[in-house]
Amino acid sequence: MSCGLNNFASAMFTALSNGRVSAVLSFLRTFGLLAGGILLLPSIWGITGVWLAVPAAEGIMFAVSAACLIYYRNWYSYG
């Protein structure tokens, strides 16, 4: 579910010519949170932390994507 919303939000902002928000969402998801999780979580939970990096990144991005959609809803007159 959260992966779908994250992809939808990035694609929607690309379609609405808001490349800055789309780029931030994509960069944060693929590099920022995922790489950070892979580096940080194994030091806390060992090898299990590597497996938890993707769900943690997707969960955080779910909140960020939802916040962006809510913030820009009046800007683009949807919702």
Side-chain angles (χ1 to χ4, degrees):
M1 166 83 179
S2 67
C3 185
L5 178 74
N6 300 337
N7 290 334
F8 169 77
S10 182
M12 188 193 81
F13 285 115
T14 299
L16 294 174
S17 298
N18 194 339
R20 181 175 294 162
V21 174
S22 177
V24 166
L25 290 176
S26 294
F27 179 80
L28 191 62
R29 177 177 176 237
T30 55
F31 184 73
L33 293 174
L34 189 56
I38 289 173
L39 293 174
L40 177 69
L41 293 178
S43 65
I44 299 170
W45 287 302
I47 194 68
T48 305
V50 175
W51 290 101
L52 291 176
V54 172
E58 290 294 334
I60 294 169
M61 277 309 301
F62 178 81
V64 172
S65 296
C68 287
L69 290 171
I70 291 168
Y71 179 78
Y72 284 102
R73 74 174 175 226
N74 291 331
W75 183 272
Y76 295 112
S77 297
Y78 64 89

